[in-house]
Amino acid sequence: MDATTHHEEHHGPTVKMYFAIFAALSVLTVATVLAAKFDFAPMLGVGLGAFVNNAVALGIACTKASLVILFFMHVKYESKLVGLAVVASVIWLAFLVLITMTDYLTRTSDWHLFVR
Amino acid sequence: MSSLASSLQHHFTDFKQQKESVVLGMWSFLIQEVMFFGGLFATYTVFRSQYSHAFAEASGLLNVNLGGVNTIVLICSSLTMAMAVHAASKGKNGGIAFWLVLTILFGSIFLGVKVVEYKEKWDHGLIPGIHDEGLRFDHETHQPRPTGFWLYFALYFAMTGLHAIHMIIGIPILATLAINGLRGKYGPEYYTPVEMTGLYWHFVDIVWIFLFPLLYLIGAHGAH
């Protein structure tokens, strides 16, 4: 850890910043509810509309998670090694979901009939 | 000062090295938790991609207001947790206890609302493994539920249940920290247990940040 990160670590987020993050998280929570109630399908068509609804919901959730990780969990003020660990977890999770979906989304058999 | 000296484990050179090791160790645990919950999120993605209409219809039966209020309650508990860590870093032992008690309070409100919601689902006959009829047929219209409908509720209870278990484990840990704070066990040089428990609590908050839109909001614009 170099001198500048150590310097920052000593300061950390201020109380004012914690409350500002809290306010941002609350506003984003209201925003995600309003966005979910808004149907993009009439404007963009069923497929694209659903995609936009999902993208907005996940985009807001990722923004909220990033705020919590960077400020409440102090990752912004930790060593780069901790930041790397956090990024690694996101990449692993992306592998898990994306590689699984390359299988299920390309199946042509009626595997879903096993579900009642 | 003697209690501070005893909190430095003999295999570390100094507090800085101990702290860095502990932080990385805690994050390794949290990454394991990401994979733990990740399996459920991947399962959710697979089944929602196949039964999107059943998932939207089932999601429409959740109480968005209760879920939204609970989201705010959990964000409040994350703020108070961050404030507890902040108080600890300034050596304010009374402050640690004060903010942790608030965190426990918000955590308990969250779990209380969850009980109300689970009770609602029980009353509506939507518990997989118990209410097979309710998950196959709509009580009022007697119309059959769409294929995959019950899978949504199986995932709803598995995901929110696992999340709730994490909170139930967290609350006694917070209580222990509050008591230790009042006993003066932490100081501005050493408050690692408060900080690490904070990481755990914030992680649980992040899981909910994703659960809320994925479980409660996918039927909100009435896609039927």
PDB file of all heavy atoms in Angstrom, chain A residues 3 5 15 24 26 28 30 41 47 53 61 63-64 67 72 81 88 96 100-102 112 114-115:
ATOM      1  N   ALA A   3       1.775   5.507  -0.001  1.00  0.00           N
ATOM      2  CA  ALA A   3       1.501   6.529   1.008  1.00  0.00           C
ATOM      3  C   ALA A   3       0.138   7.197   0.803  1.00  0.00           C
ATOM      4  O   ALA A   3      -0.551   7.500   1.768  1.00  0.00           O
ATOM      5  CB  ALA A   3       2.606   7.583   0.968  1.00  0.00           C
ATOM      6  N   THR A   5      -2.732   5.984  -0.539  1.00  0.00           N
ATOM      7  CA  THR A   5      -3.865   5.164  -0.103  1.00  0.00           C
ATOM      8  C   THR A   5      -3.929   5.133   1.415  1.00  0.00           C
ATOM      9  O   THR A   5      -5.012   5.173   1.999  1.00  0.00           O
ATOM     10  CB  THR A   5      -3.778   3.718  -0.627  1.00  0.00           C
ATOM     11  OG1 THR A   5      -2.451   3.424  -0.935  1.00  0.00           O
ATOM     12  CG2 THR A   5      -4.687   3.500  -1.794  1.00  0.00           C
ATOM     13  N   VAL A  15     -19.252  11.503   7.888  1.00  0.00           N
ATOM     14  CA  VAL A  15     -20.653  11.268   8.268  1.00  0.00           C
ATOM     15  C   VAL A  15     -21.592  11.835   7.207  1.00  0.00           C
ATOM     16  O   VAL A  15     -22.576  11.218   6.814  1.00  0.00           O
ATOM     17  CB  VAL A  15     -20.940  11.904   9.645  1.00  0.00           C
ATOM     18  CG1 VAL A  15     -22.433  11.873   9.959  1.00  0.00           C
ATOM     19  CG2 VAL A  15     -20.157  11.181  10.741  1.00  0.00           C
ATOM     20  N   ALA A  24     -29.089   8.741  -1.590  1.00  0.00           N
ATOM     21  CA  ALA A  24     -29.027   8.247  -2.970  1.00  0.00           C
ATOM     22  C   ALA A  24     -29.663   6.857  -3.072  1.00  0.00           C
ATOM     23  O   ALA A  24     -30.434   6.575  -3.994  1.00  0.00           O
ATOM     24  CB  ALA A  24     -27.577   8.204  -3.445  1.00  0.00           C
ATOM     25  N   SER A  26     -31.975   5.601  -1.180  1.00  0.00           N
ATOM     26  CA  SER A  26     -33.431   5.714  -1.018  1.00  0.00           C
ATOM     27  C   SER A  26     -34.080   6.208  -2.304  1.00  0.00           C
ATOM     28  O   SER A  26     -35.100   5.663  -2.745  1.00  0.00           O
ATOM     29  CB  SER A  26     -33.754   6.680   0.123  1.00  0.00           C
ATOM     30  OG  SER A  26     -33.136   6.255   1.312  1.00  0.00           O
ATOM     31  N   LEU A  28     -32.925   5.907  -5.330  1.00  0.00           N
ATOM     32  CA  LEU A  28     -32.842   4.856  -6.345  1.00  0.00           C
ATOM     33  C   LEU A  28     -33.872   3.747  -6.093  1.00  0.00           C
ATOM     34  O   LEU A  28     -34.366   3.127  -7.034  1.00  0.00           O
ATOM     35  CB  LEU A  28     -31.427   4.268  -6.379  1.00  0.00           C
ATOM     36  CG  LEU A  28     -30.371   5.172  -7.016  1.00  0.00           C
ATOM     37  CD1 LEU A  28     -28.967   4.625  -6.770  1.00  0.00           C
ATOM     38  CD2 LEU A  28     -30.615   5.311  -8.517  1.00  0.00           C
ATOM     39  N   VAL A  30     -36.917   4.228  -4.815  1.00  0.00           N
ATOM     40  CA  VAL A  30     -38.168   4.772  -5.346  1.00  0.00           C
ATOM     41  C   VAL A  30     -38.131   4.723  -6.877  1.00  0.00           C
ATOM     42  O   VAL A  30     -39.109   4.328  -7.531  1.00  0.00           O
ATOM     43  CB  VAL A  30     -38.392   6.217  -4.846  1.00  0.00           C
ATOM     44  CG1 VAL A  30     -39.629   6.833  -5.494  1.00  0.00           C
ATOM     45  CG2 VAL A  30     -38.519   6.238  -3.327  1.00  0.00           C
ATOM     46  N   ALA A  41     -43.354  -1.741 -23.066  1.00  0.00           N
ATOM     47  CA  ALA A  41     -43.793  -2.570 -24.194  1.00  0.00           C
ATOM     48  C   ALA A  41     -44.595  -1.807 -25.264  1.00  0.00           C
ATOM     49  O   ALA A  41     -44.327  -1.977 -26.456  1.00  0.00           O
ATOM     50  CB  ALA A  41     -44.580  -3.774 -23.682  1.00  0.00           C
ATOM     51  N   GLY A  47     -40.829  -7.568 -26.760  1.00  0.00           N
ATOM     52  CA  GLY A  47     -39.503  -8.102 -26.472  1.00  0.00           C
ATOM     53  C   GLY A  47     -38.539  -7.047 -25.967  1.00  0.00           C
ATOM     54  O   GLY A  47     -37.955  -7.175 -24.888  1.00  0.00           O
ATOM     55  N   ASN A  53     -37.120  -2.881 -19.400  1.00  0.00           N
ATOM     56  CA  ASN A  53     -37.556  -2.961 -18.005  1.00  0.00           C
ATOM     57  C   ASN A  53     -36.523  -3.688 -17.137  1.00  0.00           C
ATOM     58  O   ASN A  53     -36.168  -3.241 -16.046  1.00  0.00           O
ATOM     59  CB  ASN A  53     -38.915  -3.675 -17.900  1.00  0.00           C
ATOM     60  CG  ASN A  53     -40.074  -2.687 -17.895  1.00  0.00           C
ATOM     61  OD1 ASN A  53     -40.936  -2.737 -18.759  1.00  0.00           O
ATOM     62  ND2 ASN A  53     -40.075  -1.786 -16.938  1.00  0.00           N
ATOM     63  N   ALA A  61     -30.055  -1.564  -9.578  1.00  0.00           N
ATOM     64  CA  ALA A  61     -29.573  -2.443  -8.494  1.00  0.00           C
ATOM     65  C   ALA A  61     -28.041  -2.448  -8.453  1.00  0.00           C
ATOM     66  O   ALA A  61     -27.445  -2.380  -7.373  1.00  0.00           O
ATOM     67  CB  ALA A  61     -30.109  -3.862  -8.681  1.00  0.00           C
ATOM     68  N   THR A  63     -26.037  -0.065  -9.524  1.00  0.00           N
ATOM     69  CA  THR A  63     -25.593   1.242  -9.020  1.00  0.00           C
ATOM     70  C   THR A  63     -25.676   1.285  -7.501  1.00  0.00           C
ATOM     71  O   THR A  63     -24.733   1.717  -6.824  1.00  0.00           O
ATOM     72  CB  THR A  63     -26.474   2.362  -9.618  1.00  0.00           C
ATOM     73  OG1 THR A  63     -26.522   2.181 -11.033  1.00  0.00           O
ATOM     74  CG2 THR A  63     -25.928   3.733  -9.289  1.00  0.00           C
ATOM     75  N   LYS A  64     -26.813   0.804  -6.958  1.00  0.00           N
ATOM     76  CA  LYS A  64     -26.973   0.792  -5.499  1.00  0.00           C
ATOM     77  C   LYS A  64     -25.901  -0.075  -4.848  1.00  0.00           C
ATOM     78  O   LYS A  64     -25.287   0.320  -3.851  1.00  0.00           O
ATOM     79  CB  LYS A  64     -28.371   0.266  -5.132  1.00  0.00           C
ATOM     80  CG  LYS A  64     -29.497   1.253  -5.435  1.00  0.00           C
ATOM     81  CD  LYS A  64     -30.865   0.591  -5.316  1.00  0.00           C
ATOM     82  CE  LYS A  64     -31.283   0.376  -3.876  1.00  0.00           C
ATOM     83  NZ  LYS A  64     -32.610  -0.299  -3.803  1.00  0.00           N
ATOM     84  N   LEU A  67     -22.546   1.656  -4.768  1.00  0.00           N
ATOM     85  CA  LEU A  67     -22.466   2.689  -3.725  1.00  0.00           C
ATOM     86  C   LEU A  67     -22.202   2.053  -2.361  1.00  0.00           C
ATOM     87  O   LEU A  67     -21.363   2.539  -1.592  1.00  0.00           O
ATOM     88  CB  LEU A  67     -23.769   3.507  -3.678  1.00  0.00           C
ATOM     89  CG  LEU A  67     -24.026   4.460  -4.851  1.00  0.00           C
ATOM     90  CD1 LEU A  67     -25.401   5.090  -4.718  1.00  0.00           C
ATOM     91  CD2 LEU A  67     -22.954   5.536  -4.913  1.00  0.00           C
ATOM     92  N   PHE A  72     -20.026   2.360   1.978  1.00  0.00           N
ATOM     93  CA  PHE A  72     -20.355   1.709   3.250  1.00  0.00           C
ATOM     94  C   PHE A  72     -19.334   0.626   3.570  1.00  0.00           C
ATOM     95  O   PHE A  72     -18.980   0.413   4.723  1.00  0.00           O
ATOM     96  CB  PHE A  72     -21.759   1.100   3.195  1.00  0.00           C
ATOM     97  CG  PHE A  72     -22.869   2.104   3.375  1.00  0.00           C
ATOM     98  CD1 PHE A  72     -24.207   1.704   3.292  1.00  0.00           C
ATOM     99  CD2 PHE A  72     -22.604   3.435   3.648  1.00  0.00           C
ATOM    100  CE1 PHE A  72     -25.232   2.616   3.458  1.00  0.00           C
ATOM    101  CE2 PHE A  72     -23.627   4.355   3.814  1.00  0.00           C
ATOM    102  CZ  PHE A  72     -24.953   3.939   3.721  1.00  0.00           C
ATOM    103  N   LEU A  81      -5.780  -4.777  -3.760  1.00  0.00           N
ATOM    104  CA  LEU A  81      -5.995  -6.223  -3.658  1.00  0.00           C
ATOM    105  C   LEU A  81      -7.445  -6.528  -3.288  1.00  0.00           C
ATOM    106  O   LEU A  81      -8.068  -7.434  -3.853  1.00  0.00           O
ATOM    107  CB  LEU A  81      -5.034  -6.805  -2.605  1.00  0.00           C
ATOM    108  CG  LEU A  81      -5.039  -8.325  -2.454  1.00  0.00           C
ATOM    109  CD1 LEU A  81      -4.664  -8.998  -3.765  1.00  0.00           C
ATOM    110  CD2 LEU A  81      -4.075  -8.745  -1.349  1.00  0.00           C
ATOM    111  N   ALA A  88     -13.301  -9.859  -8.904  1.00  0.00           N
ATOM    112  CA  ALA A  88     -13.248 -11.294  -9.220  1.00  0.00           C
ATOM    113  C   ALA A  88     -14.579 -11.955  -8.914  1.00  0.00           C
ATOM    114  O   ALA A  88     -15.062 -12.801  -9.686  1.00  0.00           O
ATOM    115  CB  ALA A  88     -12.118 -11.958  -8.431  1.00  0.00           C
ATOM    116  N   LEU A  96     -20.898 -17.856 -14.104  1.00  0.00           N
ATOM    117  CA  LEU A  96     -21.905 -18.829 -13.661  1.00  0.00           C
ATOM    118  C   LEU A  96     -23.209 -18.640 -14.426  1.00  0.00           C
ATOM    119  O   LEU A  96     -23.768 -19.596 -14.984  1.00  0.00           O
ATOM    120  CB  LEU A  96     -22.145 -18.679 -12.148  1.00  0.00           C
ATOM    121  CG  LEU A  96     -23.244 -19.555 -11.537  1.00  0.00           C
ATOM    122  CD1 LEU A  96     -22.858 -21.019 -11.613  1.00  0.00           C
ATOM    123  CD2 LEU A  96     -23.507 -19.151 -10.097  1.00  0.00           C
ATOM    124  N   THR A 100     -24.160 -20.772 -18.039  1.00  0.00           N
ATOM    125  CA  THR A 100     -25.360 -21.589 -17.850  1.00  0.00           C
ATOM    126  C   THR A 100     -26.408 -21.231 -18.908  1.00  0.00           C
ATOM    127  O   THR A 100     -27.027 -22.112 -19.507  1.00  0.00           O
ATOM    128  CB  THR A 100     -25.949 -21.369 -16.439  1.00  0.00           C
ATOM    129  OG1 THR A 100     -24.942 -21.645 -15.478  1.00  0.00           O
ATOM    130  CG2 THR A 100     -27.132 -22.286 -16.186  1.00  0.00           C
ATOM    131  N   MET A 101     -26.562 -19.928 -19.149  1.00  0.00           N
ATOM    132  CA  MET A 101     -27.599 -19.497 -20.101  1.00  0.00           C
ATOM    133  C   MET A 101     -27.250 -19.860 -21.540  1.00  0.00           C
ATOM    134  O   MET A 101     -28.154 -20.078 -22.355  1.00  0.00           O
ATOM    135  CB  MET A 101     -27.858 -17.994 -19.972  1.00  0.00           C
ATOM    136  CG  MET A 101     -28.524 -17.589 -18.670  1.00  0.00           C
ATOM    137  SD  MET A 101     -29.902 -18.633 -18.194  1.00  0.00           S
ATOM    138  CE  MET A 101     -31.139 -18.074 -19.354  1.00  0.00           C
ATOM    139  N   THR A 102     -25.942 -19.923 -21.891  1.00  0.00           N
ATOM    140  CA  THR A 102     -25.607 -20.351 -23.261  1.00  0.00           C
ATOM    141  C   THR A 102     -26.136 -21.762 -23.496  1.00  0.00           C
ATOM    142  O   THR A 102     -26.475 -22.119 -24.615  1.00  0.00           O
ATOM    143  CB  THR A 102     -24.084 -20.344 -23.511  1.00  0.00           C
ATOM    144  OG1 THR A 102     -23.466 -21.225 -22.578  1.00  0.00           O
ATOM    145  CG2 THR A 102     -23.493 -18.966 -23.423  1.00  0.00           C
ATOM    146  N   HIS A 112     -38.364 -28.468 -20.807  1.00  0.00           N
ATOM    147  CA  HIS A 112     -39.191 -27.812 -19.805  1.00  0.00           C
ATOM    148  C   HIS A 112     -40.421 -28.620 -19.443  1.00  0.00           C
ATOM    149  O   HIS A 112     -41.097 -28.333 -18.475  1.00  0.00           O
ATOM    150  CB  HIS A 112     -39.607 -26.425 -20.287  1.00  0.00           C
ATOM    151  CG  HIS A 112     -40.349 -26.445 -21.575  1.00  0.00           C
ATOM    152  ND1 HIS A 112     -39.711 -26.412 -22.785  1.00  0.00           N
ATOM    153  CD2 HIS A 112     -41.669 -26.527 -21.831  1.00  0.00           C
ATOM    154  CE1 HIS A 112     -40.619 -26.450 -23.751  1.00  0.00           C
ATOM    155  NE2 HIS A 112     -41.798 -26.527 -23.196  1.00  0.00           N
ATOM    156  N   PHE A 114     -40.466 -31.319 -18.139  1.00  0.00           N
ATOM    157  CA  PHE A 114     -40.256 -32.021 -16.874  1.00  0.00           C
ATOM    158  C   PHE A 114     -40.840 -31.235 -15.715  1.00  0.00           C
ATOM    159  O   PHE A 114     -41.000 -31.748 -14.631  1.00  0.00           O
ATOM    160  CB  PHE A 114     -38.766 -32.267 -16.643  1.00  0.00           C
ATOM    161  CG  PHE A 114     -38.197 -33.276 -17.591  1.00  0.00           C
ATOM    162  CD1 PHE A 114     -37.314 -32.908 -18.586  1.00  0.00           C
ATOM    163  CD2 PHE A 114     -38.596 -34.603 -17.515  1.00  0.00           C
ATOM    164  CE1 PHE A 114     -36.809 -33.839 -19.467  1.00  0.00           C
ATOM    165  CE2 PHE A 114     -38.099 -35.543 -18.403  1.00  0.00           C
ATOM    166  CZ  PHE A 114     -37.205 -35.167 -19.384  1.00  0.00           C
ATOM    167  N   VAL A 115     -41.122 -29.961 -15.948  1.00  0.00           N
ATOM    168  CA  VAL A 115     -41.718 -29.125 -14.908  1.00  0.00           C
ATOM    169  C   VAL A 115     -43.217 -29.151 -15.079  1.00  0.00           C
ATOM    170  O   VAL A 115     -43.715 -28.929 -16.171  1.00  0.00           O
ATOM    171  CB  VAL A 115     -41.205 -27.681 -15.022  1.00  0.00           C
ATOM    172  CG1 VAL A 115     -41.935 -26.792 -14.040  1.00  0.00           C
ATOM    173  CG2 VAL A 115     -39.721 -27.646 -14.783  1.00  0.00           C
TER     174      VAL A 115
END
